[in-house]
Amino acid sequence: MRSTNAKDHWKMPALTWSVVESVNIHESIKTASADRDKYIENYVSTLKNLSLADINLVCYNFMPVLDWTRTDLDFLLPNKGTALGTMPKL
């Protein structure tokens, strides 16, 4: 679904779609692989399409998949519950 169609689809009287979170950034861009240029072109095209739909703010996580390796997915809380936690540097 193109961004302009999606924006119309989700239109509600009290809400305005003005921000997109996490437009996919291919791993080839993040790791500077030889084929990154085609993925950069795709990313730029997506941003242009969002702009045409008057969506001008994109929030993203630009780290490689490796960013999750620093995260404890089962951090034990004092109340014996669990949560995501950042592991300290070694």
Side-chain angles (χ1 to χ4, degrees):
M1 182 180 314
R2 295 189 62 78
S3 54
T4 51
N5 294 341
K7 190 171 182 180
D8 290 339
H9 177 77
W10 294 106
K11 192 177 235 177
M12 298 178 81
L15 299 175
T16 301
W17 183 15
S18 60
V19 178
V20 169
E21 182 179 358
S22 299
V23 171
N24 186 45
I25 300 171
H26 197 275
E27 291 299 308
S28 293
I29 297 171
K30 298 176 200 176
T31 58
S33 297
D35 62 344
R36 71 180 181 254
D37 289 348
K38 73 177 180 178
Y39 294 106
I40 291 171
E41 289 175 23
N42 291 344
Y43 189 78
V44 169
S45 177
T46 298
L47 294 178
K48 286 180 179 178
N49 288 335
L50 289 169
S51 178
L52 290 172
D54 201 28
I55 300 170
N56 300 305
L57 181 58
V58 177
C59 304
Y60 59 92
N61 176 356
F62 202 86
M63 295 184 69
V65 170
L66 305 173
D67 63 344
W68 280 101
T69 62
R70 295 189 316 234
T71 303
D72 183 348
L73 303 177
D74 199 23
F75 181 78
L76 187 60
L77 299 171
N79 68 358
K80 305 297 183 203
T82 59
L84 294 177
T86 303
M87 298 176 75
K89 288 185 177 183
L90 301 175

